[in-house]
Amino acid sequence: MTRVLLVDDQALLRMGFRLVLEAEEDLEVVGEASDGRSALDQVRALEPDVVLMDVRMPGVNGIEATERVVTERPDTKVLILTTFDLDEYAFAALRAGASGFLLKDTRPADLVAAIRTVASGDAVVSPRITRRMLELFAGRLPDGPADGADGAQVGDPRLSHLTPRELEVLRAVAEGMSNAEVAERLFLSEATVKTHVGRILAKLGVRDRVQAVVLAYETGLVGPRA
């Protein structure tokens, strides 16, 4: 059973999420909070597996709350929920340690699947979200990759330990591709892609795919033209 905490300042949205999640046999809504401060109290008291976290809330916002949840209770995963047109804060929330990022108009089945995914230790960054992040941060991100003709030389030292194949996999992941989609693009088995992703996370010293995506943007491995 995956224990879920709902955090949103709109009671109607919390009710809708609760109805969706409680219809699933393996998901349990253990609590609700209307702002970041009460969310932190609930996390400490209830120890949920996954927190569905709104970004814009009164008092302690979702970014600060996410950072504190991840710091205080690393086993609890945070899944950011927000609207399509607000998200200058989304990138900061991912950097704060969120394991996923979904829009509030996400289909119920996709929301349920995302909760299961982050609860299992993976991360959720859909292609639509990735494109939106690139649009929002195009003016702040590097113009593009800084590698040589063979793709093996990357200027940022944080990427220096990655092999050419690992760089290819990281680029694909940063575009929002699933392991299956990466495998199809690079003519690899899905198991091989999963192995590459694990090695990439270990070499970069990041917790999950979301943090790897953030680093790929920051280093210029991918950029607005990707």
Side-chain angles (χ1 to χ4, degrees), residues 72-112:
E72 293 182 19
R73 185 173 165 78
D75 289 341
T76 295
K77 309 299 181 183
V78 178
L79 184 58
I80 296 293
L81 282 168
T82 189
T83 51
F84 186 77
D85 58 348
L86 294 179
D87 303 306
E88 292 186 5
Y89 298 108
F91 194 72
L94 295 176
R95 292 188 69 180
S99 293
F101 179 67
L102 291 176
L103 303 175
K104 287 183 179 178
D105 63 358
T106 296
R107 296 181 306 169
D110 292 337
L111 173 61
V112 169

Side-chain angles (χ1 to χ4, degrees), residues 43-196:
V43 166
R44 293 168 187 140
L46 301 172
E47 299 184 346
D49 301 302
V50 177
V51 178
L52 294 187
M53 182 80 75
D54 189 19
V55 174
R56 289 192 170 186
M57 296 180 292
V60 177
N61 62 36
I63 299 169
E64 183 180 350
T66 295
E67 186 171 15
R68 291 171 65 178
V69 167
V70 171
T71 300
E72 293 182 19
R73 185 173 165 78
D75 289 341
T76 295
K77 309 299 181 183
V78 178
L79 184 58
I80 296 293
L81 282 168
T82 189
T83 51
F84 186 77
D85 58 348
L86 294 179
D87 303 306
E88 292 186 5
Y89 298 108
F91 194 72
L94 295 176
R95 292 188 69 180
S99 293
F101 179 67
L102 291 176
L103 303 175
K104 287 183 179 178
D105 63 358
T106 296
R107 296 181 306 169
D110 292 337
L111 173 61
V112 169
I115 291 171
R116 291 174 178 147
T117 297
V118 299
S120 71
D122 207 339
V124 177
V125 184
S126 73
R128 179 183 174 193
I129 298 300
T130 302
R131 287 194 298 270
R132 180 60 174 161
M133 286 175 64
L134 284 168
E135 291 169 6
L136 285 168
F137 292 93
R140 307 180 195 177
L141 295 171
D143 288 335
D147 25 286
D150 62 356
Q153 300 299 318
V154 178
D156 195 291
R158 288 175 288 181
L159 302 178
S160 61
H161 298 297
L162 300 186
T163 67
R165 176 62 85 184
E166 288 167 349
L167 289 171
E168 288 181 310
V169 171
L170 179 56
R171 282 195 189 95
V173 168
E175 292 173 28
M177 290 188 174
S178 67
N179 285 352
E181 291 167 333
V182 176
E184 182 177 359
R185 171 187 279 192
L186 300 181
F187 304 102
L188 300 170
S189 71
E190 192 169 345
T192 300
V193 172
K194 187 174 181 179
T195 298
H196 280 308

Side-chain angles (χ1 to χ4, degrees), residues 8-67:
D8 196 293
D9 61 349
Q10 298 186 45
L12 189 59
L13 282 176
R14 296 199 307 272
M15 181 185 298
F17 293 142
R18 178 181 282 273
L19 290 173
V20 169
L21 301 184
E22 289 188 338
E24 303 297 322
E25 293 183 356
D26 61 330
L27 302 180
E28 177 187 6
V29 177
V30 296
E32 298 183 16
S34 59
D35 59 60
R37 187 174 302 282
S38 58
L40 291 167
D41 292 338
Q42 294 274 46
V43 166
R44 293 168 187 140
L46 301 172
E47 299 184 346
D49 301 302
V50 177
V51 178
L52 294 187
M53 182 80 75
D54 189 19
V55 174
R56 289 192 170 186
M57 296 180 292
V60 177
N61 62 36
I63 299 169
E64 183 180 350
T66 295
E67 186 171 15

